[in-house]
Amino acid sequence: MSEQKFRKESDLLGELKVPADALYGVQTQRGINNYHISRKTMSMYPDFIKAIAYVKLAAVQTNHTLGVINDEIAGAISQACRELIDGQWHENFPIDMMQGGAGTSVNMNANEVIANRALEIMGHEKGDYQYCLPNDHCNCGQSTNDVYPTTIRLAIIHMNKSLIAALTGLISAFRYKGDEFKDCIKMGRTQLQDAVPMTSGQEFNAYANNLEEEILNLERNVKLLHEINMGGTAIGTGLNAVPGFAKLCAANLAKLTGEPFVSATDLVEATPDTGAYVSYSSALKRLAVKLSKICNDLRLMASGPRCGLNEINLPPKAPGSSIMPGKVNPVIPEVVNQVCFKVIGNDTTVSFAAEAGQLQLNVMEPVITESLFESLIWLKNAIETLTEECVLGITVNKERCLEMVKNSIGIVTALNPYIGYKTSTKVAKEALETNRSVYDIVLEKGLMTQEKLDEALDPKNMLVSHKFL
């Protein structure tokens, strides 16, 4: 086994050894040495690397157009960025996602990788920065404080598309089951008590419609991320960026990505502002809350099989106990519940981190980034798992559902228009105390004719609005 070779690079703090074959440089190596927190590296988030490559590509195009960077260097940097966008060299982003410095290590990691790859493209050795510098060329007219938030925004926009695709699949699965179960009459419940009849189809279609709203909410909130502060540099004043950089860079990024990016009207305001992250995180939380509620319902309806509701059957996925033979647990809804709890917690983290911004910069953006990325990825994976491993395989116990409707006291609600609420209450109380049916008591007391009673208590007549005498 050959001994690893190193090259020496230096920065403000002195010299460090960097692996000779690495495209990153000294500041990335400091990030590697400093941060061992989440153990999640940039290389684990390809959308993040591609996003920063797009941002750097838009910046070099802008600088080239404005005459700040010459043809050769601009061409080499552009090629290096496109290679990153194509998925190459991602192993050269080894720094921990959780870090201090407001994302400086992330920005410099990209600057160093792009600079060293550009050097190779131009026929030079890695680290021979006299021909292409990480700071002076790859970071020209930029700062971490505009590059990092713009990168976060683009990465979230891309990841949001994957989340919506997964959510669309779950909605379709619920609609499919809604149609399959449209003729299964069951008892609706409020406060875990018998209410009035409905169909399992109505229930599953309601889940689909409930989640459909979340697609619109995600799309509405992700639009807030299209306003960027590129060209603001350190605090939004635009120091070291040539006139015209901000708007042209936003236009270039929009053209490259197909996303409607615009330059913020007030770059000083936009640089420390994390409001868009708070709103988008809240949208993820809202989806998680709804998703968890649906999973709670599935677990309740599948409870039993002998001593619970036993209205539906979830696909059996694993033996449920190391001690109780025959037990099968609702493991898929359970794991989705737990993912939702994590997303709700991440939203709290985002809120605290956004509030912690001070003066002209919010240095807490790394934890905002990691929290949002985690929520996006976990939610997407959980939704796909729920769809494929649970919802599509659900079956309904039609006879069990109908039996509970017939035995329910809740159907007395349908008699309110005929015998009045007060009389219906007396019938319900007597049925409960004597363990007799509502049907028998109404006939016995002569409150309605059998013909009218049969019509009023026909479960199908209780599923929708209808006329009554």
Side-chain angles (χ1 to χ4, degrees):
M1 185 173 181
S2 60
E3 184 179 350
Q4 186 176 9
K5 296 181 179 180
F6 294 90
R7 67 177 189 269
K8 285 186 178 181
E9 290 194 15
S10 62
D11 60 9
L12 169 70
L13 301 182
E15 283 191 344
L16 273 184
K17 290 196 300 183
V18 177
D21 60 349
L23 287 175
Y24 58 80
V26 60
Q27 291 205 44
T28 302
Q29 188 62 54
R30 292 202 187 281
I32 295 170
N33 296 345
N34 288 338
Y35 307 120
H36 309 278
I37 309 299
S38 71
R39 307 289 174 164
K40 296 177 183 177
T41 63
M42 268 189 83
S43 60
M44 297 171 65
Y45 296 92
D47 282 321
F48 196 33
I49 297 173
K50 292 177 182 180
I52 201 167
Y54 270 119
V55 171
K56 293 295 177 179
L57 179 56
V60 76
Q61 287 181 348
T62 302
N63 283 318
H64 182 242
T65 300
L66 296 174
V68 181
I69 294 182
N70 67 38
D71 293 349
E72 183 185 21
I73 295 176
I77 290 175
S78 295
Q79 182 179 329
C81 290
R82 292 189 184 279
E83 289 174 356
L84 290 173
I85 291 167
D86 290 338
Q88 300 182 60
W89 319 118
H90 285 201
E91 69 277 7
N92 286 277
F93 291 83
I95 58 172
D96 199 294
M97 289 291 291
M98 279 302 302
Q99 55 192 251
T104 298
S105 294
V106 167
N107 186 33
M108 287 309 302
N109 193 166
N111 287 331
E112 290 174 343
V113 169
I114 293 168
N116 278 306
R117 180 60 190 138
L119 287 170
E120 290 182 330
I121 291 167
M122 291 188 290
H124 305 293
E125 295 292 325
K126 300 183 189 72
D128 198 357
Y129 293 128
Q130 62 178 309
Y131 300 103
C132 182
L133 284 151
N135 293 83
D136 293 351
H137 296 116
C138 298
N139 201 57
C140 180
Q142 306 153 62
S143 164
T144 295
N145 303 346
D146 53 6
V147 169
Y148 190 69
T150 301
T151 298
I152 298 169
R153 282 163 162 76
L154 179 54
I156 291 172
I157 288 166
H158 283 163
M159 295 166 78
N160 184 69
K161 295 180 192 298
S162 297
L163 175 61
I164 287 178
L167 187 53
T168 300
L170 178 58
I171 291 167
S172 296
F174 276 126
R175 292 206 190 285
Y176 176 78
K177 289 298 170 179
D179 184 65
E180 183 181 343
F181 302 154
K182 63 184 178 182
D183 295 324
C184 177
I185 295 171
K186 61 163 286 180
M187 202 66 193
R189 297 176 183 83
T190 58
Q191 294 161 285
L192 296 181
Q193 305 297 303
D194 301 351
V196 296
M198 64 185 301
T199 67
S200 294
Q202 288 175 317
E203 194 163 33
F204 277 73
N205 276 319
Y207 294 146
N209 292 329
N210 190 251
L211 292 174
E212 193 88 61
E213 297 173 357
E214 298 318 295
I215 292 180
L216 297 176
N217 194 45
L218 288 168
E219 290 175 339
R220 181 166 54 247
N221 281 280
V222 84
K223 289 179 181 178
L224 300 173
L225 299 170
H226 286 117
E227 183 181 88
I228 61 174
N229 70 324
M230 286 298 292
T233 65
I235 64 170
T237 60
L239 180 67
N240 291 351
V242 297
F245 182 97
K247 289 187 177 179
L248 182 55
C249 189
N252 284 336
L253 188 60
K255 185 176 181 180
L256 286 167
T257 62
E259 296 293 336
F261 286 109
V262 295
S263 182
T265 55
D266 183 346
L267 295 177
V268 174
E269 179 276 332
T271 299
D273 179 37
T274 52
Y277 307 136
V278 174
S279 294
Y280 184 74
S281 179
S282 179
L284 294 178
K285 178 185 71 173
R286 188 174 118 160
L287 170 59
V289 168
K290 287 191 173 186
L291 198 60
S292 189
K293 185 271 180 193
I294 290 171
C295 287
N296 292 341
D297 286 359
L298 295 178
R299 291 165 57 206
L300 279 171
M301 289 188 288
S303 61
R306 297 289 177 87
C307 302
L309 296 183
N310 192 30
E311 292 182 346
I312 62 172
N313 307 299
L314 305 182
K317 290 297 173 180
S321 173
S322 60
I323 189 174
M324 294 173 279
K327 193 170 188 287
V328 179
N329 294 331
V331 294
I332 302 301
E334 286 174 356
V335 74
V336 176
N337 279 131
Q338 293 173 76
V339 168
C340 293
F341 304 156
K342 192 71 164 68
V343 173
I344 294 167
N346 284 345
D347 178 67
T348 301
T349 298
V350 170
S351 297
F352 274 109
E355 184 274 337
Q358 297 164 328
L359 303 177
Q360 278 68 58
L361 182 66
N362 189 319
V363 302
M364 307 302 175
E365 283 191 342
V367 77
I368 291 176
T369 304
E370 174 58 24
S371 297
L372 288 174
F373 284 7
E374 185 175 67
S375 292
L376 277 157
I377 292 170
W378 283 35
L379 268 178
K380 170 186 169 292
N381 293 343
I383 288 170
E384 289 175 343
T385 300
L386 182 64
T387 303
E388 298 296 328
E389 304 298 332
C390 183
V391 175
L392 287 173
I394 291 174
T395 57
V396 67
N397 298 321
K398 196 170 183 179
E399 292 183 1
R400 165 69 171 164
C401 290
L402 182 59
E403 176 189 0
M404 285 193 281
V405 172
K406 289 179 178 179
N407 291 335
S408 171
I409 295 172
I411 61 174
V412 76
T413 303
L415 303 184
N416 285 351
Y418 302 96
I419 63 176
Y421 181 86
K422 188 173 183 178
T423 302
S424 294
T425 301
K426 291 179 180 179
V427 171
K429 183 178 180 182
E430 185 174 341
L432 186 62
E433 291 175 347
T434 62
N435 199 29
R436 296 172 64 202
S437 71
V438 168
Y439 186 91
D440 290 343
I441 293 172
V442 171
L443 287 181
E444 180 184 284
K445 294 184 178 297
L447 299 173
M448 296 175 68
T449 66
Q450 186 171 1
E451 181 182 4
K452 278 294 179 186
L453 183 58
D454 287 340
E455 182 181 356
L457 293 185
D458 184 341
K460 292 180 181 178
N461 288 336
M462 289 187 270
L463 300 178
V464 294
S465 301
H466 63 282
K467 292 182 178 181
F468 54 86
L469 297 177

